[in-house]
């Protein structure tokens, strides 16, 4: 396993992160999440591989993701040997000071810990002044409930504005960005990613394998997730025709290097400066495949070959307004149509 520091902090994370949206009571968010026993098995296997970084959220499976993860970690390893991240936004009050202080306590209770290593805002809140949000996040750092803060999918100008305010007020700045980034979706290369590099903010993208589309030569599979994940369908199905050429090229390079397609996709992420892509696995063996990607070294020609077919996509991740209260899954495909929920 390889490791890196988050931003300018001393927090050392594995260069693979366990995405915990896969954990939780089935039917509370997705139909394909794994139960508590399997969560424990996956967590232990990840730890055995040297992975120490886990990313969850208060809204995943109605809080049961945090509960399952917390118990799995307490039964497997000392708290200080892992890095736990959680998120706030898809909750009453969004990113208001009152909501942030309430939600951190709820997350800590579910996780069974007295601090988080990284606390991320899940989206940009259009209803709360950014001063209120950034001050509240700083208060969590000062109190010791949170070691560092980060942000998730948003527009570059929003991230820059919040980061600049933190610097002006002497508050804790963001050290990590959890954005949507993979070979099939590269829109953040325009503004957000260069900004993060300029500010030494670590990239920890979600969906690095495009919900499985970068792991097989055909678009869909017969897995439960492929058949029922309406959020993944909403994110990717509308661009299937043009994106299949990229999938084909990933397959070609995988054969050339004698590795699996997902290892090519992850090697590309690291080649692009990503610190720790988030792997949302429903089987422990998925992490074996991911860990083996460290041995794959792509040439400049390989990278150019993978990137050449890309065409601009609609924005998927950053939002233009707060969704209706209670909505957690965005860009959900329903009845064959792509709709923003």
């Amino acid at each position: 396993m390889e490791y890196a520091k988050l931003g300018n902090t001393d927090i050392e994370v594995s260069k693979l992160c366990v995405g915990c949206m896969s954990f939780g009571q089935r039917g509370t968010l997705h139909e394909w999440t794994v139960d508590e026993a399997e969560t424990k098995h996956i967590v232990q296997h990840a730890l055995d591989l040297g992975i120490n970084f886990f990313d969850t959220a208060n809204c995943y499976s109605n809080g049961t993701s945090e509960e399952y993860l917390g118990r799995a970690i307490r039964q497997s390893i000392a708290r200080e040997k892992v890095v736990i991240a959680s998120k706030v936004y898809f909750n009453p009050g969004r990113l208001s000071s009152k909501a942030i202080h309430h939600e951190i306590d709820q997350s800590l209770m579910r996780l069974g810990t007295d601090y988080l290593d990284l606390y991320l805002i899940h989206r940009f809140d259009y209803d709360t002044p950014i001063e209120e949000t950034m001050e509240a996040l700083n208060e969590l750092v000062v109190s010791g409930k949170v070691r560092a803060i980060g942000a998730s999918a948003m527009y570059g100008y929003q991230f820059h504005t919040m980061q600049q305010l933190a610097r002006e007020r002497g508050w804790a700045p963001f050290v990590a960005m959890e954005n949507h980034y993979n070979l099939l979706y590269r829109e953040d290369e325009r503004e957000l990613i260069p900004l993060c590099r300029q500010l030494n903010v670590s990239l920890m993208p979600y969906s690095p394998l495009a919900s499985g589309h970068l792991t097989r030569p055909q678009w869909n599979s017969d897995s439960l997730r492929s058949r029922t994940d309406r959020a993944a369908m909403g994110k990717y199905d509308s661009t299937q025709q043009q994106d299949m050429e990229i999938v084909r090229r990933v397959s070609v390079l995988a054969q050339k290097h004698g590795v699996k397609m997902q290892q090519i996709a992850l090697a590309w992420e690291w080649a692009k400066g990503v610190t720790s892509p988030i792997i949302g696995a429903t089987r422990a063996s998925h992490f074996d495949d991911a860990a083996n990607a460290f041995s794959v070294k792509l040439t400049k020609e390989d990278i150019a070959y993978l990137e050449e077919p890309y065409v601009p996509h609609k924005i998927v991740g950053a939002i233009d307004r707060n969704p209706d209260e209670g909505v957690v899954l965005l860009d959900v495909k329903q009845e064959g149509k792509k709709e923003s929920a």
Side-chain angles (χ1 to χ4, degrees):
M1 186 52 54
E2 297 182 10
Y3 301 87
K5 296 291 179 66
L6 279 181
N8 295 320
T9 74
D10 62 355
I11 301 173
E12 188 170 72
V13 298
S14 52
K15 294 183 70 173
L16 285 171
C17 179
V18 177
C20 301
M21 191 171 69
S22 302
F23 307 156
Q25 183 179 346
R26 185 171 294 178
T28 54
L29 181 65
H30 296 291
E31 298 299 326
W32 45 267
T33 51
V34 300
D35 63 19
E36 187 163 2
E38 186 62 19
T39 295
K40 182 180 178 182
H41 175 62
I42 291 173
V43 168
Q44 183 60 63
H45 191 68
L47 292 170
D48 290 343
L49 291 170
I51 298 173
N52 73 343
F53 195 13
F54 298 84
D55 174 76
T56 185
N58 61 349
C59 61
Y60 290 167
S61 294
N62 197 30
T64 58
S65 171
E66 290 180 325
E67 292 173 359
Y68 290 7
L69 174 65
R71 286 194 285 266
I73 286 175
R74 291 198 301 277
Q75 295 167 14
S76 303
I77 195 170
R79 170 66 182 89
E80 65 271 15
K81 293 186 176 181
V82 294
V83 177
I84 302 177
S86 194
K87 297 185 284 293
V88 59
Y89 171 83
F90 291 101
N91 44 258
R94 303 291 184 195
L95 299 182
S96 68
S97 180
K98 180 179 179 181
I100 287 172
H101 284 283
H102 173 76
E103 292 299 327
I104 186 62
D105 289 339
Q106 295 301 304
S107 287
L108 293 176
M109 179 182 66
R110 287 190 291 265
L111 285 160
T113 182
D114 56 4
Y115 71 96
L116 284 180
D117 300 279
L118 182 64
Y119 200 40
L120 303 110
I121 56 172
H122 215 154
R123 290 295 188 276
F124 181 84
D125 183 0
Y126 286 87
D127 295 331
T128 302
I130 61 172
E131 293 88 348
E132 180 178 343
T133 295
M134 297 307 292
E135 183 174 23
L137 292 172
N138 183 69
E139 289 168 352
L140 299 187
V141 175
V142 172
S143 70
K145 292 182 180 180
V146 170
R147 294 178 67 192
I149 61 171
S152 189
M154 62 177 61
Y155 293 104
Y157 81 91
Q158 295 168 337
F159 184 70
H160 182 270
T161 301
M162 300 183 86
Q163 195 78 322
Q164 184 63 29
L165 176 69
R167 291 191 173 198
E168 290 174 357
R169 302 292 177 86
W171 294 337
F174 295 127
V175 305
M177 167 53 67
E178 182 175 328
N179 63 318
H180 183 201
Y181 187 49
N182 56 56
L183 274 164
L184 303 188
Y185 184 85
R186 295 166 46 203
E187 296 308 297
D188 283 350
E189 289 180 351
R190 302 171 187 271
E191 296 287 346
L192 186 61
I193 290 176
L195 177 60
C196 288
R197 290 184 181 135
Q198 176 183 322
L199 300 175
N200 195 30
V201 171
S202 295
L203 297 174
M204 46 179 292
Y206 66 86
S207 201
L209 303 178
S211 298
H213 294 305
L214 293 169
T215 69
R216 53 184 180 260
Q218 67 279 0
W219 190 251
N220 292 314
S221 75
D222 61 358
S223 71
L224 179 61
R225 180 172 185 177
S226 183
R227 289 184 282 108
T228 64
D229 193 340
R230 294 181 296 111
M233 296 173 191
K235 283 192 289 187
Y236 298 113
D237 280 5
S238 65
T239 54
Q240 175 182 348
Q241 183 175 353
Q242 56 265 47
D243 288 347
M244 273 304 298
E245 173 57 20
I246 300 172
V247 172
R248 186 191 70 80
R249 293 192 181 202
V250 173
S251 179
V252 169
L253 271 191
Q255 294 176 47
K256 171 187 170 183
H257 286 271
V259 298
K260 294 185 176 181
M261 290 176 62
Q262 52 264 48
Q263 291 160 357
I264 295 293
L266 290 174
W268 176 84
E269 295 262 345
W270 292 316
K272 301 295 285 187
V274 165
T275 297
S276 188
I278 298 172
I279 307 297
T282 53
R283 291 201 300 270
S285 61
H286 291 164
F287 289 106
D288 294 315
D289 293 335
N292 287 332
F294 286 111
S295 63
V296 180
K297 304 300 179 185
L298 300 178
T299 66
K300 291 182 179 179
E301 291 75 20
D302 289 337
I303 294 171
Y305 176 71
L306 291 169
E307 295 181 351
E308 190 273 333
Y310 187 81
V311 297
H313 286 51
K314 290 183 178 180
I315 299 298
V316 179
I319 56 176
D320 295 320
R321 57 180 174 81
N322 287 341
D324 294 337
E325 188 165 331
V327 170
V328 175
L329 294 177
L330 305 173
D331 296 295
V332 174
K333 187 174 183 177
Q334 296 177 334
E335 298 179 355
K337 299 179 180 179
K338 179 179 181 299
E339 299 179 359
S340 293

